[in-house]
Amino acid sequence: MSNYKIETKCVQGGYTPKSGEPRQIPIVQSTTFHYDTSEDMAKLFDLEASGYFYSRLQNPTCDTVAAKICELEGGTAAMLTSSGQAANFYAVFNIATCGDHVVSCSTIYGGTFNLFAVTMKKMGIDFTFVSPDCTDEELEAAFRPNTKAVFGETIANPALTVLDIEKFAKAAHAHGVPLIVDNTFATPINCRPFEWGADIVTHSTTKYMDGHGSAVGGCIVDSGNFDWMAHKEKFPGLCTPDDSYHGIVYAEKFGQGGAFITKATAQLMRDFGSTPAPQSAYLLNLGLESLHVRMERHCANGLAVATFLKNHPNVTWVTYADLEGDKYYEIAKKYMPKGTCGVVSFGVKGGRAAAEKFMKHLKVAAIETHVADARTCCLHPASATHRQMSDEELLAAGVSGDLVRYSCGLESAEDLIADLKQALESI
């Protein structure tokens, strides 16, 4: 499918049925797989042959959908995980272990921030958080001799800062480490980070890719562009023998384009088991088939809502990169000329109490932890997803007490605006 447009890949990528085979991808709802001899299965356990033996590691349905996302992003290998949180954990932990260090943007999603700053810190991995708007000098100062990766979000959730991918990729590569980009909000429809220098892309497929609130999931895609062996002293997990697989050196055996995902599957999925369900992968594929159509509508609704909010007296500020005059307008046009996403962040006049009162009066938009769905949903992050963060951490993450995250669904823009209008007038 490499020669086809991304719209065609959304519909038909990852799976080409042969004569007489199912037109829709089959759901292989099985934990185990049969083999005629122990020797055949031994080859799988030794990574000497491709195939399936236990769905905790790999499953045909899941691999088919991962292959579609891989095509959409323009990568060389991909894997599904049980959640976006698992995808980000695996992507980092695959190359950074106890005693290592990672540079990350400070405005990342609150759950990811907690994963990095609290849980992975307990595992011995240090993170330095920098503003996505940092200068080249500030970014350079964040690196250490033991830095193993740089992490950022294409569009941060919920601050909606836009990552200068080329700047962060240049800095990462100057230090011999990969740039990992969470592309959840933009999706490959609006941005393909590999084209701008990113090396690994992650997704919470729960969001726009699924698009209907049906199944939690995540994905990791490798660009195949980072040369692990050129920096083998930094990445022993990929470039030295793995005793748990009879001394296999992933970067040698599976090459530059396959080593990262093979190790994450054979080692991390084996040991941590954040396994996606085949049924969930099937539902994800249904969402992917309409992703290119839905993203256009999400963006159109987002711009209409942002334009309305900008001119309302009970709104103190609006952040939406497609809105002319927004701080990230120009950089968004560079990386995402077709649009960014359908999520708008804004401040309600009167602060935290006013924001909470406003949300109680919404009728079309539902108060949910969810975001990037076919149905419009709304959240007060300081009270929910970012509740565990200190005031200083909230400030660094771009999350103020008056901030409301409004995720435009696929409804009529007129209905959304009317609903916002009556709720704002209730304050």
Side-chain angles (χ1 to χ4, degrees):
M1 298 289 291
S2 59
N3 295 326
Y4 290 95
K5 300 295 184 181
I6 198 165
E7 295 85 354
T8 304
K9 292 178 181 178
C10 279
V11 180
Q12 297 198 26
Y15 176 64
T16 304
K18 298 175 183 177
S19 180
E21 290 185 340
R23 186 64 192 89
Q24 180 57 277
I25 66 169
I27 302 174
V28 182
Q29 193 65 50
S30 180
T31 60
T32 53
F33 301 84
H34 169 80
Y35 286 90
D36 291 332
T37 69
S38 294
E39 289 77 11
D40 290 336
M41 184 169 284
K43 292 177 182 178
L44 298 175
F45 276 90
D46 287 344
L47 303 182
E48 294 292 340
S50 60
Y52 302 92
F53 54 87
Y54 198 52
S55 281
R56 189 179 79 232
L57 278 82
Q58 287 179 290
N59 174 279
T61 307
C62 299
D63 282 359
T64 298
V65 181
K68 174 177 281 191
I69 298 174
C70 189
E71 289 185 20
L72 294 176
E73 286 288 6
T76 56
M79 65 183 291
L80 296 188
T81 60
S82 59
S83 67
Q85 192 82 322
N88 284 334
F89 171 61
Y90 281 13
V92 174
F93 197 64
N94 205 31
I95 51 178
T97 58
C98 184
D100 289 336
H101 171 257
V102 175
V103 176
S104 173
C105 284
S106 60
T107 54
I108 57 174
Y109 167 61
T112 309
F113 184 92
N114 287 334
L115 169 67
F116 290 171
V118 180
T119 302
M120 294 188 76
K121 184 176 179 61
K122 292 177 182 177
M123 301 170 74
I125 303 173
D126 283 333
F127 288 80
T128 296
F129 296 95
V130 298
S131 167
D133 305 325
C134 66
T135 64
D136 291 339
E137 292 74 20
E138 289 170 335
L139 182 54
E140 177 67 24
F143 286 87
R144 303 177 188 173
N146 61 337
T147 300
K148 297 298 176 73
V150 178
F151 184 93
E153 293 175 346
T154 314
I155 306 170
N157 175 16
L160 300 185
T161 57
V162 177
L163 184 70
D164 189 341
I165 301 172
E166 285 191 317
K167 180 176 86 171
F168 278 77
K170 180 180 178 182
H173 297 160
H175 288 269
V177 301
L179 172 62
I180 303 171
V181 173
D182 184 327
N183 198 32
T184 296
F185 269 16
T187 81
I189 301 302
N190 288 341
C191 184
R192 283 157 55 100
F194 294 155
E195 296 176 355
W196 301 99
D199 302 289
I200 307 294
V201 159
T202 63
H203 286 278
S204 170
T205 62
T206 316
K207 310 304 189 298
Y208 285 123
M209 284 187 165
D210 174 279
H212 301 84
S214 300
V216 175
C219 186
I220 309 172
V221 187
D222 183 9
S223 69
N225 294 329
F226 193 84
D227 189 347
W228 305 106
M229 290 302 290
H231 309 283
K232 58 184 180 182
E233 73 286 349
K234 282 183 172 289
F235 306 105
L238 287 164
C239 303
T240 60
D242 180 359
D243 293 337
S244 68
Y245 277 107
H246 309 293
I248 282 177
V249 178
Y250 295 100
E252 290 179 351
K253 186 170 183 62
F254 301 101
Q256 190 169 306
F260 187 89
I261 294 297
T262 301
K263 178 178 180 293
T265 302
Q267 193 182 85
L268 300 188
M269 191 64 84
R270 175 197 65 191
D271 294 343
F272 290 100
S274 298
T275 310
Q279 179 72 42
S280 295
Y282 177 85
L283 293 171
L284 169 58
N285 187 62
L286 294 180
L288 289 169
E289 289 179 353
S290 64
L291 180 62
H292 57 296
V293 180
R294 291 185 288 105
M295 286 307 295
E296 184 176 349
R297 180 59 173 267
H298 283 299
C299 291
N301 280 356
L303 183 57
V305 163
T307 302
F308 163 76
L309 291 170
K310 184 180 180 182
N311 299 309
H312 198 284
N314 282 345
V315 174
T316 54
W317 57 269
V318 178
T319 298
Y320 186 66
D322 287 330
L323 189 64
E324 193 166 358
D326 186 89
K327 178 180 180 180
Y328 297 98
Y329 181 79
E330 294 300 330
I331 194 170
K333 290 303 176 188
K334 172 183 175 179
Y335 292 117
M336 292 162 275
K338 294 192 295 185
T340 54
C341 64
V343 182
V344 181
S345 289
F346 62 96
V348 179
K349 187 176 181 179
R352 185 169 189 150
E356 292 175 344
K357 182 179 179 182
F358 152 79
M359 291 177 63
K360 291 178 182 178
H361 288 270
L362 290 170
K363 298 177 181 178
V364 178
I367 298 175
E368 301 177 11
T369 307
H370 196 35
V371 68
D373 189 78
R375 293 163 291 271
T376 295
C377 46
C378 195
L379 189 74
H380 184 243
S383 299
T385 54
H386 292 64
R387 190 177 184 87
Q388 290 76 25
M389 297 173 72
S390 67
D391 289 343
E392 293 77 15
E393 290 170 340
L394 284 170
L395 183 63
V399 179
S400 54
D402 63 343
L403 186 153
V404 171
R405 184 187 71 185
Y406 189 87
S407 176
C408 299
L410 303 178
E411 303 93 345
S412 160
E414 291 182 8
D415 288 340
L416 297 181
I417 290 171
D419 188 36
L420 285 164
K421 186 174 184 295
Q422 63 84 22
L424 285 167
E425 289 173 353
S426 72
I427 301 174

